[in-house]
Amino acid sequence: MQVLSKMTPVPVTCLEYVHPWTQSCTLATAELMLVGVQYCLRIYAAVYAFSLLMRARIPTLAELTKTIRGWLQSTAFLTTNAFSYSMFLCLIRRVMGSYNFYTASYVPAFLAALVSIMVERSSRRALLALYVSNVATETMWNILQSRGLVRSLPYGEIAIFGLSTSVLMYCYRRNRQKEYRDSMFDVVRFAIGESEVMKSESSLNDDSGSTVAKEEKAPRTSQTRAGSRRLPYPFIQRILRAYLQLTGRLKALGKHKLCRHRHGCVYDTLSSGMRMFSMGLGIQVVMKTVLQLRKFINRPQLIRKTFLSKEIARLGLFLGGFTTIYKMSSCLLRHLTDSDSPMFAFPSGLLASIAFAFYSDNTIALYIMWKTLQITYNWGIEKGYLPRVPGFTIMLYATSTALLFHAATIEPENLRPSYWKFLHSISGGRICIMDRSSFDVYGLNTSGQIRTMMQLCKTEPILQGSLS
């Protein structure tokens, strides 16, 4: 079959391509709006309910009102994105008389995303742009790889994570979180602690003095508590006594004068690593329990197999290993150079990124990359190093979303399966019914890719909410 140019028009109507289940463009758009509202109300109800639960207190009437308004506005945003895509597909066909490779999906998806993002609250636009850019980056790489223009590198996701994390740690050590507040710095502070933040010499001396005073009091307090307790079981007493002796020796091993952590370097490194390992392990245990509770009830033998597998410890090994290697290498650099510098974040971050091999994931690596770019770009704007581009967030969201819709329509095998399932659900299965056979002339085997994705994701056209 002859492969046509991307600009060559394809003589196909929107009835044949966009909505073969109904002859009315208006009815097709209304059906997508109906299905989209139902799906988005459920999705955002869970999102906003979770945000209320995370506050760990009873919400006030004002907070409930604000949450409901945000829920409805976010639902309107995502629903608009769904049905306006179909609407613009039909409008372009009426205006231009035909489709080509770009107007078959990318252009109408771009217009739909541009309209819908204006419906959403401005405070959420950056978060949405960051998410779709993450998925679009992976999709674009897959598209280029399918054309033989690039090829995957071994451990490429670890390299991306390591470089991005090193820049992020450099910003953290420079104390830029005070200049530009971002939730990512809260995550870093929880994992690494305030001891890796560079501060002035005067504040360092003050902190050191207060730390020494605390260290002088700490052993006496722990010994007094241990002596005052009369545990009924000698075995527990021996374990507690051995633990206190071990931690006491580790705390007393000393630290460099420029290290800002409270106790010795070895103790601080090991305790931080064990804390993050325990947290990662706990998260995995809770997630496995919640997601597979029904299976555990029906087949109790799966409990032992699940919780004794190596998979259960992967997240803990990554979090604990990253924290341990980063803090250990930072302390070693201070000991070896007898100095402290924000540049230590780069060798320490690159070394610590080796732990990402335990839990390597493209989504996490790309998210850290985009988050680091966002922080660096905003900091550069505030300092006057970079120009502020009006509407950059909106355009980033529109171009990224358009790429995802284009891939889902023309070459879905390059799209992340989870995003395909999302589009399938929000469209009520109509994304599978769209007749793409006319676009096989572009040489991408579009029809065959659609069949493969339907089998891979186990999706079927379900036509929910049909008005016809």
Side-chain angles (χ1 to χ4, degrees):
M1 182 181 64
Q2 182 182 3
V3 178
L4 299 182
S5 168
K6 297 297 188 291
M7 295 301 295
T8 302
V10 176
V12 59
T13 65
C14 58
L15 169 61
E16 298 167 332
Y17 162 47
V18 183
H19 46 83
W21 64 88
T22 178
Q23 296 183 358
S24 172
C25 299
T26 304
L27 187 60
T29 302
E31 289 178 354
L32 280 169
M33 182 173 65
L34 175 64
V35 175
V37 166
Q38 297 175 20
Y39 178 79
C40 297
L41 280 173
R42 294 196 304 269
I43 291 296
Y44 280 112
V47 171
Y48 280 91
F50 181 74
S51 66
L52 285 178
L53 291 175
M54 288 298 291
R55 298 177 184 179
R57 57 181 174 82
I58 299 177
T60 62
L61 181 60
E63 290 175 338
L64 282 175
T65 303
K66 184 180 179 181
T67 300
I68 293 175
R69 288 178 59 186
W71 171 40
L72 296 177
Q73 189 170 1
S74 296
T75 299
F77 144 73
L78 194 54
T79 304
T80 302
N81 207 342
F83 78 80
S84 61
Y85 173 66
S86 174
M87 181 183 68
F88 281 116
L89 274 170
C90 294
L91 286 175
I92 286 177
R93 169 66 176 83
R94 289 178 179 271
V95 172
M96 301 185 63
S98 62
Y99 294 106
N100 60 37
F101 184 79
Y102 302 103
T103 59
S105 186
Y106 189 91
V107 174
F110 178 84
L111 296 174
L114 204 60
V115 171
S116 63
I117 194 64
M118 302 304 295
V119 178
E120 183 59 285
R121 290 177 297 164
S122 57
S123 59
R124 281 181 49 83
R125 292 172 186 171
L127 180 64
L128 291 167
L130 189 68
Y131 169 73
V132 294
S133 299
N134 185 342
V135 186
T137 302
E138 180 182 346
T139 303
M140 190 65 200
W141 179 268
N142 292 336
I143 290 174
L144 295 175
Q145 189 175 23
S146 67
R147 287 158 171 72
L149 300 176
V150 298
R151 62 178 182 178
S152 296
L153 299 175
Y155 309 109
E157 69 280 2
I158 298 178
I160 293 174
F161 178 83
L163 292 172
S164 303
T165 304
S166 299
V167 176
L168 184 65
M169 291 300 181
Y170 174 80
C171 296
Y172 181 72
R173 286 180 65 85
R174 290 290 300 269
N175 209 13
R176 289 181 180 172
Q177 58 270 25
K178 290 188 175 180
E179 303 171 6
Y180 176 70
R181 296 186 179 275
D182 192 276
S183 58
M184 182 57 67
F185 286 126
D186 296 332
V187 176
V188 175
R189 184 183 298 108
F190 180 80
I192 304 300
E194 293 280 358
S195 62
E196 294 300 326
V197 179
M198 300 287 295
K199 291 190 177 182
S200 61
E201 191 69 25
S202 59
S203 63
L204 183 62
N205 293 333
D206 293 340
D207 291 340
S208 298
S210 61
T211 300
V212 171
K214 291 178 182 178
E215 287 178 351
E216 290 176 353
K217 295 179 181 179
R220 288 197 297 268
T221 304
S222 60
Q223 290 173 4
T224 302
R225 289 178 180 175
S228 62
R229 289 177 182 174
R230 299 266 181 168
L231 296 177
Y233 303 105
F235 178 70
I236 298 179
Q237 290 181 358
R238 288 195 294 269
I239 292 178
L240 179 61
R241 193 178 299 113
Y243 171 77
L244 292 175
Q245 290 177 353
L246 177 62
T247 55
R249 290 177 181 177
L250 292 176
K251 290 178 181 179
L253 286 179
K255 61 179 182 177
H256 193 270
K257 61 182 179 181
L258 295 176
C259 290
R260 298 188 63 254
H261 43 79
R262 179 176 175 181
H263 301 293
C265 294
V266 176
Y267 176 80
D268 181 72
T269 298
L270 295 179
S271 61
S272 298
M274 288 302 300
R275 175 172 59 89
M276 295 306 298
F277 171 79
S278 301
M279 173 162 292
L281 182 62
I283 292 173
Q284 287 287 81
V285 169
V286 171
M287 288 182 62
K288 291 287 186 182
T289 303
V290 172
L291 296 177
Q292 301 186 32
L293 182 60
R294 183 176 298 179
K295 291 183 179 180
F296 291 158
I297 295 175
N298 296 331
R299 299 174 60 188
Q301 63 271 21
L302 288 177
I303 298 177
R304 177 183 177 86
K305 182 179 179 180
T306 300
F307 294 121
L308 293 181
S309 65
K310 296 180 180 179
E311 295 293 318
I312 201 73
R314 288 177 60 222
L315 180 60
L317 289 172
F318 159 53
L319 295 177
F322 179 87
T323 304
T324 300
I325 297 173
Y326 183 86
K327 302 202 77 168
M328 177 183 65
S329 57
S330 296
C331 289
L332 282 175
L333 286 170
R334 283 188 284 265
H335 280 278
L336 293 174
T337 63
D338 198 26
S339 63
D340 197 9
S341 170
M343 298 301 293
F344 288 174
F346 290 99
S348 298
L350 290 174
L351 282 174
S353 65
I354 297 174
F356 190 57
F358 289 112
Y359 201 76
S360 59
D361 184 82
N362 290 336
T363 303
I364 297 176
L366 292 174
Y367 177 81
I368 297 295
M369 182 191 75
W370 276 102
K371 198 65 178 176
T372 303
L373 290 174
Q374 179 192 20
I375 292 171
T376 306
Y377 175 67
N378 289 330
W379 180 83
I381 291 175
E382 293 177 2
K383 290 298 182 180
Y385 301 145
L386 298 173
R388 184 181 297 274
V389 180
F392 176 78
T393 301
I394 295 175
M395 295 302 296
L396 180 62
Y397 174 83
T399 54
S400 300
T401 303
L403 177 64
L404 296 177
F405 274 66
H406 172 82
T409 306
I410 304 299
E411 40 191 318
E413 287 185 1
N414 293 320
L415 187 67
R416 186 182 296 175
S418 60
Y419 200 82
W420 169 265
K421 291 182 179 180
F422 161 73
L423 294 177
H424 178 271
S425 299
I426 199 173
S427 67
R430 287 164 178 78
I431 189 175
C432 300
I433 302 177
M434 295 173 65
D435 187 2
R436 302 162 172 84
S437 58
S438 299
F439 300 105
D440 288 339
V441 295
Y442 293 121
L444 296 175
N445 189 26
T446 301
S447 299
Q449 290 194 40
I450 291 296
R451 290 191 293 269
T452 301
M453 289 300 294
M454 290 176 62
Q455 294 174 0
L456 176 65
C457 301
K458 298 180 181 179
T459 58
E460 296 180 357
I462 52 180
L463 276 182
Q464 295 178 350
S466 178
L467 300 176
S468 56

